[in-house]
Amino acid sequence: MSTPTHRLTVAQALVRFLAAQYTERDGVRHRLIAGTWGIFGHGNVAGLGQALVEHAHVMPYHQGRNEQAMVHAAVGYARQRGRLSTQAVTTSIGPGATNLVTGAALATINRLPVLLLPGDYFATHPADPLLQQLEHPVEADVSVNDTLRPVSRYFDRITRPEALVPSALNAMRVLTDPAETGAVTLALPQDVQAEAFDWPEEFFAERVWRVRRPAPDPAELAAAADAIMSASRPLIVAGGGVHHSAAEDALKTLADATGIPVASTQAGKGALRHDHPADLGGIGHTGTAVADDLARTADLVIGVGTRHTDFTTASGTLFQNPDVRFVNLNITAFDAHKLAATTLVCDARAGLTALSEALAGHHVDASYVAEYRAGKERWEHVVEAALRADDDSAVPTQTQVLGALDAVVGDEDVVINAAGSLPGDLHKLWRARSPRQYHLEYGYSCMGYEIPAAVGVQQAAPDTPVWALVGDGTYLMMPTEIVTAVQEGLPVNVVLVQNHGYASIGGLSESVGAERFGTAYRHRAADGAFTGAPLPVDLAANAGSLGMDVLRAKTVGELR
């Protein structure tokens, strides 16, 4: 008996396959690949371009302006959807493909799923060298897409139609695995994309990928609970894994029951509401005074879903108690073993729930609670002073800009940032009111992320106000997706702070003796020196020319 088949090209088959993939967690189903971004050219216009036209009813298409920005938009979408849904990105075979590398690195470092579908050279080599081809004198099968290998969690080049079946399944496996996810690349030679093949019917059947919540090992759980109960000054460091697991309520339950204070990384901020008694705000190089003071004296640090990067640990100098120990709850064993920690390898929500049960009746000393609550109250006065602006006629400081924004955002609004001095001010001062409100990309700290990410977040949450906070340096990196926001009817809000240069790096430059060299936007005199006059660049007019409604504010009163 023959197996039913469908005769389609590789590109047509791939689009149909992607449209039938779903995730499921806690009994709720999500579309895995919610849409495809694309810029068409050599290598994908005759394959995936045609397939997306023909399958527009099952696979939405979004037109981007920059390949890196398309990845950022997909990443923003995936983060807003809790990694349960993402988008695909297709490009041409040359610079379009290499423009994906930065976005892919950002996705993989931040453990966020995105599917990359760059075109590739003819597998059959009918013309050699091809336009945009990288000729390698020793390895004829190398293409520019190989630059995506080190920044992808899974990579394959589909050189035969039948190879798509196992590779596509592996791609979906990695995208939906919370311990493995990141950028996934399927490089598609342009002749193979257009090659017809008889596909088994089951390849196009609806498939549900269940996102696991692995429970903690009983022995590891007992060891972690023992470590916590024997500590007098424990401190929880909440990372992005708390949000990815939707473990915010489980963290609150643990903090309420035990009184253990919670500090947060950039990715973990908002794991507790800012006004929860145990929330200390950010930790590390850009942390709050109360969080960092407690970190220096903590005898046990409980990392939950954090990678313990250098900013979180102040380059290894923050935790100064000579007797400090670590417990790491993480779904990835690689991260759980950092800092020679006692490991608890499991899903964040499952692990926190199990810890609450194992610690039933345990509570930190009342004097410790009183100490950190007093520190939290002192820090609130610092925040209020930084955000307050008493003179309506004054030029607002950056923190006063945040204060004006804090006064108007709703609890569910999303605030996006990635680079410059804003991440530090936000980590210290922003009062997160909901789990998704604080959206900082600080794993890669990629300038240019904010506006395209805002587009992706707005797609994922169409009824939620989205604010992209950018400095002028970041804005000039990648304003192009403003056009996409206008085209797609996405009402993103861009808050653009114009300070005529790279202010944060300029400050660092000055502190190390480089005198702000190469960081200011100013006229160059005939002798090569930079004059004091800023360039006559009107970024507001630029945004307006791309289709945005623009409001200009030069004073605190105008800003309000």
Side-chain angles (χ1 to χ4, degrees):
M1 182 176 178
S2 62
T3 302
T5 61
H6 295 275
R7 190 161 186 82
L8 299 168
T9 67
V10 167
Q12 291 168 331
L14 178 58
V15 172
R16 280 193 55 179
F17 169 83
L18 294 177
Q21 307 304 303
Y22 293 85
T23 61
E24 183 178 292
R25 188 176 70 180
D26 304 329
V28 180
R29 185 175 295 194
H30 306 263
R31 174 84 176 262
L32 175 54
I33 307 298
T36 298
W37 290 91
I39 296 176
F40 298 107
H42 221 55
N44 68 340
V45 65
L48 278 170
Q50 178 189 356
L52 288 168
V53 169
E54 294 172 343
H55 293 85
H57 59 294
V58 295
M59 178 58 67
Y61 165 70
H62 309 294
Q63 183 180 359
R65 269 74 197 175
N66 177 284
E67 292 85 0
Q68 180 188 141
M70 293 193 297
V71 185
H72 292 338
V75 166
Y77 182 96
R79 176 167 168 175
Q80 183 67 21
R81 296 299 303 274
R83 304 196 301 185
L84 299 170
S85 184
T86 186
Q87 297 169 322
V89 178
T90 179
T91 71
S92 60
I93 66 175
T98 50
N99 279 351
L100 295 174
V101 174
T102 297
L106 181 149
T108 294
I109 287 170
N110 286 284
R111 317 291 168 83
L112 293 166
V114 62
L115 178 61
L116 308 180
L117 304 172
D120 214 323
Y121 313 139
F122 287 109
T124 53
H125 295 276
D128 193 24
L130 191 69
L131 176 65
Q132 299 179 319
Q133 181 174 341
L134 173 69
E135 292 186 270
H136 196 286
V138 177
E139 299 173 277
D141 62 343
V142 168
S143 83
V144 295
N145 284 331
D146 288 280
T147 60
L148 289 161
R149 289 182 184 270
V151 293
S152 298
R153 294 295 290 174
Y154 180 80
F155 178 99
D156 195 12
R157 180 175 287 112
I158 310 301
T159 57
R160 290 290 306 145
E162 57 268 35
L164 178 64
V165 176
S167 189
L169 291 169
N170 271 321
M172 300 304 104
R173 172 187 61 80
V174 174
L175 288 173
T176 58
D177 187 333
E180 294 292 331
T181 196
V184 167
T185 300
L186 298 181
L188 302 169
Q190 56 184 313
D191 52 348
V192 177
Q193 282 184 56
E195 188 172 343
F197 187 75
D198 292 322
W199 302 91
E201 190 174 80
E202 64 177 304
F203 185 56
F204 307 115
E206 186 176 292
R207 184 175 277 101
V208 178
W209 301 83
R210 288 181 173 80
V211 179
R212 306 180 189 91
R213 288 196 181 277
D217 175 81
E220 287 196 334
L221 177 63
D226 286 345
I228 295 170
M229 286 189 286
S230 64
S232 60
R233 299 181 65 81
L235 172 66
I236 293 172
V237 177
V242 176
H243 294 309
H244 298 328
S245 175
E248 296 90 357
D249 288 344
L251 178 62
K252 180 178 182 298
T253 297
L254 180 65
D256 288 342
T258 64
I260 300 174
V262 178
S264 55
T265 69
Q266 286 281 15
K269 194 172 170 75
L272 289 182
R273 263 187 67 103
H274 74 94
D275 53 2
H276 188 283
D279 180 66
L280 307 182
I283 191 170
H285 276 309
T286 56
T288 67
V290 57
D292 286 355
D293 284 347
L294 256 67
R296 293 184 186 98
T297 59
D299 59 354
L300 182 70
V301 177
I302 307 160
V304 182
T306 175
R307 298 187 296 126
H308 288 296
T309 61
D310 68 326
F311 264 61
T312 295
T313 68
S315 299
T317 66
L318 181 60
F319 307 113
Q320 296 180 2
N321 188 326
D323 298 319
V324 67
R325 295 169 296 151
F326 295 86
V327 169
N328 284 340
L329 191 169
N330 205 293
I331 199 167
T332 305
F334 177 83
D335 292 314
H337 281 275
K338 289 177 178 175
L339 300 171
T342 296
T343 61
L344 193 57
V345 181
C346 60
D347 169 74
R349 194 174 83 179
L352 289 168
T353 301
L355 273 177
S356 291
E357 295 170 356
L359 297 170
H362 175 73
H363 198 280
V364 299
D365 192 82
S367 62
Y368 184 49
V369 175
E371 176 188 345
Y372 71 68
R373 288 188 178 179
K376 177 180 173 67
E377 185 176 353
R378 288 193 300 273
W379 183 253
E380 281 301 313
H381 294 310
V382 174
V383 173
E384 288 290 345
L387 300 183
R388 187 174 59 246
D390 298 323
D391 183 359
D392 275 9
S393 64
V395 175
T397 65
Q398 182 165 278
T399 58
Q400 289 168 345
V401 171
L402 297 182
L405 183 60
D406 175 76
V408 299
V409 299
D411 283 8
E412 300 304 318
D413 291 21
V414 179
V415 175
I416 301 173
N417 185 241
S421 57
L422 273 166
D425 286 346
L426 285 161
H427 200 204
K428 284 183 172 73
L429 304 174
W430 189 259
R431 298 182 281 207
R433 307 170 198 176
S434 61
R436 298 284 171 200
Q437 183 177 78
Y438 187 87
H439 184 124
L440 261 284
E441 189 290 295
Y442 213 60
Y444 209 39
S445 187
C446 184
M447 294 179 71
Y449 171 82
E450 294 91 341
I451 294 173
V455 169
V457 170
Q458 194 76 81
Q459 287 178 320
D463 298 323
T464 299
V466 179
W467 304 80
L469 276 57
V470 297
D472 46 11
T474 287
Y475 178 86
L476 287 169
M477 287 274 183
M478 201 169 293
T480 52
E481 300 320 301
I482 286 175
V483 177
T484 302
V486 172
Q487 182 179 35
E488 298 256 346
L490 299 169
V492 299
N493 304 293
V494 176
V495 179
L496 171 57
V497 179
Q498 167 71 302
N499 54 21
H500 306 291
Y502 301 130
S504 62
I505 294 300
L508 176 61
S509 167
E510 197 166 47
S511 71
V512 298
E515 304 302 327
R516 294 185 177 266
F517 180 75
T519 63
Y521 301 150
R522 300 191 181 277
H523 286 285
R524 184 186 292 274
D527 62 358
F530 289 98
T531 68
L535 296 175
V537 175
D538 190 338
L539 299 184
N542 176 261
S545 74
L546 298 178
M548 293 204 89
D549 294 329
V550 177
L551 301 174
R552 297 171 183 261
K554 293 184 178 181
T555 68
V556 168
E558 291 173 355
L559 179 61
R560 288 197 181 117

